[in-house]
Amino acid sequence: MATILKWFAVLSVLVWCFSCRDVDHRESVEKAPVYKEKYRPQFHFSPRENWMNNPNGMVFHEGEYHLFYQYYPDSTIWGPMHWGHAVSSDLARWEHLPIALYPDEIGYIFSGCVVVDQNNTSGFGVNGPPLVAIFTQSLRDEDGKSQVQSLAYSNDKGRTWTKYDSNPVLDEDLRAFRGPKVFWHEATKKWIMSIVASPSRDDLTPDRVHIYSSKKLKNWTFESAFGEKYGAHAGKWECPDLFQLKVKNTRETKWVLIVSINPRGPYGGSGTQYFIGDFDGKTFSCDAHPDDTYWLDYGRDNHAGVTWSGIPESDGRRLFIGWMSNWDYAQLVPTERWRGAMTIPRELGLYFHDDKYYLTQKPARELSSLRTEEVKLEPKMVTKRYDLLKDVRNKNGLYEVILKFRRPEKNSVKIWYSKDIYSFLAFGAVPQKNRIYVNRGNSGVVSFHEKFGNPRWASTFTNPDTINLHAFIDKSSIELFSDQGMSVMSDLFFPAETFDNLMLYADNNEIELLEGSVYVLNSIWQKSKQ
């Protein structure tokens, strides 16, 4: 009976895949999307319709930033995974492209990466370096099949893809073995893969990172494992990414390993942790104590993020994007035609403070191209409240907010983005506790999940004299940066009506605003055919 059920599951996927091809999704791509829905992000990437989760395969190639993503084209809840696809020339405005990869007899198309095979080590290239995708294929957990790694390649700038005819290329007979992220390691002249794995075949909780090497992308050799005794382990590890960064204001470089986890992030549900250390081409060694956990984001809505490959050395940045949702409620959020969005693209860095290394994030500089009108805030001693928008309002509620305060001895910095005193998103800083915070408990629709409205905070470390807040506010999200980018919070919210007030409150105590600006932002879809 078990064998019959197994073959029935495979046959079901095959029938479903061929039926997908009968329905031409390219025709669907040509339909005009509705980017004016109530909660639709206006400067964050979201699919035209239906379900999206993890970012995949981000690569820069011939002037284009590629963004692939986990996609189910037939529903607004998770289903058989495809790779959706979009490209951008500026990290701000995106062009939707047809679905890149479809499920097949091996399984659904789970998370993975894309590399530029500059030396054509794979042999897939025709008249130039090919793009090579390395991704997990999987059926549902209950089917009992192992998760395996497969290849596909493109010779036309990622517009069409051919799956390798000898897939899968890596099978360790593990049911939880997924999320490959690959890069070229120049010192050893090999490709290096980081991937999460479980300790045994039928354990469905991956809790460590395996590292493999390959000369041609087609055959992989196990090198080492990391993480059994490091970091948070109360949930499944996902989507690893290993890369090198320079430490700010030094000549030192360190290696960073990002690993997402679900559940049991910093406030429950999904989250992303990171480790800093060294890598010798075979083994990653972590500098931190095994019991220490470092979180990339202390909001509830930044998960499974990874970085772009192929960024030219002349640029030198490490660019990151994450899925802006949480598995606690991702399939319950009150959107209609679509579910899922990405964070804004971010530049990653390293900062050494108080004998520890910290990963830093700041908004990608290209996002400044979205700015239109600026509200320049003059220095002011605020005793009650201060209208940060003055006489400027944006009907879409799209703002970038940059504020610098003298650190108050007693008072908190409290900002309400609101419709009225009953409906608001609160964010700010509590200097006495060295925290920034976001509270969406009164922000509108919160009842779809019991913990959605709970407040959150992030610790701050470095500046005893000033408080800096940098926020990006879209129709249904806020991303808050502080403390040189070491403290970051990303959170969704769903207001009953578009908020049009942004007020700083002093609660009858003095708060000194040293400088600030509020920028009205353009929608990325306003002048687009998308």
Side-chain angles (χ1 to χ4, degrees):
M1 178 61 71
T3 302
I4 294 173
L5 289 174
K6 181 188 299 183
W7 281 108
F8 178 77
V10 173
L11 180 62
S12 298
V13 172
L14 280 170
V15 171
W16 184 87
C17 293
F18 286 117
S19 68
C20 284
R21 285 168 171 77
D22 292 337
V23 178
D24 190 352
H25 286 288
R26 284 176 173 79
E27 180 180 340
S28 175
V29 167
E30 295 305 318
K31 294 179 181 178
V34 180
Y35 271 96
K36 296 183 180 179
E37 297 117 314
K38 187 172 185 178
Y39 300 124
R40 173 69 78 168
Q42 293 299 298
F43 59 85
H44 292 79
F45 179 83
S46 60
R48 283 176 159 167
E49 55 191 358
N50 295 314
W51 172 267
M52 179 185 79
N53 58 290
N54 304 357
N56 296 152
M58 290 108 72
V59 64
F60 180 79
H61 182 57
E62 295 188 9
E64 293 181 320
Y65 296 93
H66 290 259
L67 172 62
F68 301 88
Y69 50 91
Q70 294 284 277
Y71 185 55
Y72 183 40
D74 295 324
S75 176
T76 55
I77 61 173
W78 191 94
M81 287 288 96
H82 302 53
W83 267 22
H85 189 195
V87 293
S88 174
S89 61
D90 65 359
L91 285 174
R93 299 160 185 84
W94 295 91
E95 175 189 355
H96 294 277
L97 295 178
I99 291 170
L101 295 173
Y102 290 81
D104 58 25
E105 67 278 5
I106 299 176
Y108 309 152
I109 311 298
F110 276 19
S111 289
C113 62
V114 172
V115 297
V116 182
D117 187 4
Q118 198 66 49
N119 299 315
N120 196 23
T121 62
S122 63
F124 293 143
V126 177
N127 298 323
L131 293 177
V132 181
I134 307 98
F135 51 91
T136 298
Q137 291 202 262
S138 176
L139 296 177
R140 289 186 179 273
D141 288 343
E142 57 265 29
D143 294 323
K145 288 201 51 127
S146 299
Q147 294 183 333
V148 298
Q149 316 315 313
S150 293
L151 303 180
Y153 58 92
S154 172
N155 283 293
D156 60 358
K157 297 180 64 175
R159 268 53 181 183
T160 60
W161 292 84
T162 302
K163 289 176 183 169
Y164 181 39
D165 57 11
S166 294
N167 281 337
V169 297
L170 180 57
D171 182 357
E172 297 282 43
D173 195 27
L174 293 171
R175 291 176 63 192
F177 181 54
R178 56 183 178 263
K181 188 67 161 65
V182 174
F183 68 95
W184 179 256
H185 189 246
E186 184 63 29
T188 58
K189 304 294 183 184
K190 291 182 180 180
W191 295 100
I192 299 297
M193 174 195 295
S194 56
I195 185 169
V196 298
S198 59
S200 61
R201 185 196 185 279
D202 291 317
D203 190 327
L204 297 179
T205 304
D207 66 348
R208 62 201 65 191
V209 172
H210 282 186
I211 295 174
Y212 293 81
S213 69
S214 174
K215 291 184 177 181
K216 298 182 178 181
L217 292 170
K218 298 175 180 176
N219 304 100
W220 294 90
T221 300
F222 175 78
E223 297 289 357
S224 63
F226 168 80
E228 182 180 358
K229 298 180 179 180
Y230 282 84
H233 280 271
K236 298 177 180 180
W237 283 24
E238 298 182 298
C239 301
D241 192 358
L242 178 63
F243 52 87
Q244 197 170 22
L245 282 178
K246 292 182 179 179
V247 182
K248 185 177 180 180
N249 298 327
T250 75
R251 296 182 179 180
E252 185 180 20
T253 60
K254 300 292 289 185
W255 286 82
V256 179
L257 176 63
I258 290 175
V259 184
S260 289
I261 187 171
N262 181 68
R264 305 295 175 86
Y267 289 104
S270 310
T272 303
Q273 57 187 325
Y274 66 88
F275 307 90
I276 297 172
D278 297 294
F279 178 66
D280 62 4
K282 292 179 178 290
T283 302
F284 174 78
S285 54
C286 183
D287 290 345
H289 188 276
D291 294 334
D292 292 343
T293 303
Y294 294 84
W295 296 105
L296 181 140
D297 196 309
Y298 284 84
R300 289 270 273 156
D301 297 306
N302 184 357
H303 180 62
V306 287
T307 63
W308 266 273
S309 65
I311 302 297
E313 288 186 13
S314 58
D315 182 311
R317 291 179 296 171
R318 177 62 58 170
L319 295 167
F320 167 97
I321 202 169
W323 175 46
M324 195 161 54
S325 196
N326 190 303
W327 278 114
D328 271 357
Y329 45 74
Q331 301 183 102
L332 304 173
V333 295
T335 59
E336 296 178 359
R337 190 175 176 180
W338 57 280
R339 278 199 176 103
M342 297 300 176
T343 68
I344 57 173
R346 305 172 181 186
E347 301 174 17
L348 301 185
L350 274 181
Y351 187 76
F352 187 70
H353 172 71
D354 198 21
D355 293 326
K356 294 182 180 179
Y357 296 95
Y358 293 93
L359 192 65
T360 65
Q361 302 169 74
K362 64 180 181 180
R365 62 185 180 226
E366 288 85 350
L367 296 175
S368 62
S369 67
L370 300 177
R371 294 173 178 173
T372 58
E373 188 169 359
E374 179 185 8
V375 180
K376 189 70 174 178
L377 303 173
E378 300 299 327
K380 183 179 179 66
M381 188 67 73
V382 181
T383 56
K384 291 185 178 180
R385 63 181 185 178
Y386 183 28
D387 184 356
L388 299 178
L389 296 181
K390 297 183 178 180
D391 297 323
V392 177
R393 295 293 185 271
N394 176 249
K395 65 179 181 179
N396 287 326
L398 313 178
Y399 301 107
E400 179 185 2
V401 184
I402 304 174
L403 304 171
K404 182 178 182 179
F405 301 91
R406 191 177 306 282
R407 190 182 185 94
E409 293 183 3
K410 297 180 180 180
N411 205 8
S412 299
V413 175
K414 182 171 75 174
I415 300 166
W416 279 16
Y417 180 50
S418 68
K419 186 66 180 177
D420 51 43
I421 61 173
Y422 305 105
S423 183
F424 58 89
L425 175 80
F427 65 97
V430 184
Q432 298 77 23
K433 295 184 177 181
N434 294 316
R435 291 176 176 175
I436 60 170
Y437 70 91
V438 174
N439 188 339
R440 59 189 181 187
N442 295 291
S443 63
V445 181
V446 301
S447 60
F448 54 86
H449 190 271
E450 61 182 0
K451 296 181 180 179
F452 184 82
N454 291 354
R456 284 154 300 283
W457 58 85
S459 296
T460 57
F461 307 94
T462 60
N463 199 322
D465 301 317
T466 59
I467 295 171
N468 294 273
L469 300 176
H470 189 173
F472 277 79
I473 302 172
D474 205 336
K475 294 272 284 187
S476 56
S477 67
I478 181 171
E479 288 163 271
L480 180 62
F481 302 80
S482 186
D483 203 28
Q484 303 190 60
M486 291 192 294
S487 301
V488 181
M489 305 186 71
S490 304
D491 284 290
L492 298 174
F493 64 98
F494 300 98
E497 299 179 72
T498 299
F499 292 160
D500 53 13
N501 297 301
L502 190 65
M503 198 74 66
L504 168 66
Y505 288 95
D507 292 339
N508 295 317
N509 290 304
E510 290 186 340
I511 295 176
E512 185 178 358
L513 176 66
L514 298 175
E515 57 184 270
S517 291
V518 178
Y519 296 93
V520 177
L521 302 182
N522 263 333
S523 167
I524 64 175
W525 312 113
Q526 284 178 346
K527 297 182 180 180
S528 170
K529 295 180 181 180
Q530 306 309 314

